[in-house]
Amino acid sequence: MKRYADDEHPSVQELAKRLTGDLESDRAGLERLFLFVRDDIKFGFTNRWNDLKASEVLLAGVGHCTTKATLLHSLCRAAGIQSRVHFALIDTNIMRGFVSKAVLLTMPSHVSHSWTEVKTDGIWHRLDSYIMDRQAFRACEAALAAKRWRHGFGVSPFEGKLSCEFNLEEEGFVQMGAVSGDHGVWDEPGDYFASGDYASFNGFQMMGFKVLVGGINRKVELLRSAI
């Protein structure tokens, strides 16, 4: 089985050491890892969807919910910080604004989604606020407010609050409002992908996504550049 959380990869090990090696607390190290994944890995997609190892996400330089979760989880493990990936389902209408309504009708209503959970001071915390780089988040938050949609442009308020900040005490999320179901926590994303719970595109839908991915990324970049 393919391992996605390749925390032993030299590029993952080197980055984790560079970002956290001079720090004494897990919390301070976690914040540095979080900020790297949020802003240095821009929000966007590759034509491989979720099929990227952590080291490959680093090379791509872009990521979305699951690929960024895989990377942050792997960096945490490389830095000795306890972490895991929590999987669930997400409403694909969260892509509204990036793709047309007609395209959404060809997609499954829900696909698998994930966020990272980290343990500091004996407490597990949920994080998804790294999914969008700060500039993309602000642009997409403004676009959603202008449309007055429940969710779209890759964001969905959870309990009325959106946030791209690192804050363990006052949880703020980017996409949690569109989440449904619960597929539990996993140490290795590949185990989840091989399970019966994993929900993704069928072959025809995957071909369509590969055609559309460039346009989706250009839409994100146009929104980002407007801020």
Side-chain angles (χ1 to χ4, degrees), residues 102 106 177 191 211:
T106 70
D191 290 337
V211 171

Side-chain angles (χ1 to χ4, degrees), residues 127-184:
L127 288 171
D128 90 341
S129 47
Y130 53 78
I131 291 175
M132 286 189 172
D133 55 278
R134 179 177 280 172
Q135 195 170 2
F137 172 80
R138 289 176 174 171
C140 292
E141 181 184 30
L144 181 66
K147 291 289 188 181
R148 298 184 179 181
W149 293 340
R150 179 183 175 189
H151 37 239
F153 297 100
V155 296
S156 181
F158 179 69
E159 297 180 351
K161 183 168 63 176
L162 283 169
S163 175
C164 69
E165 301 304 322
F166 176 79
N167 191 329
L168 299 182
E169 281 69 37
E170 298 179 13
E171 291 182 326
F173 301 100
V174 172
Q175 298 185 336
M176 202 67 77
V179 170
S180 64
D182 188 348
H183 292 169

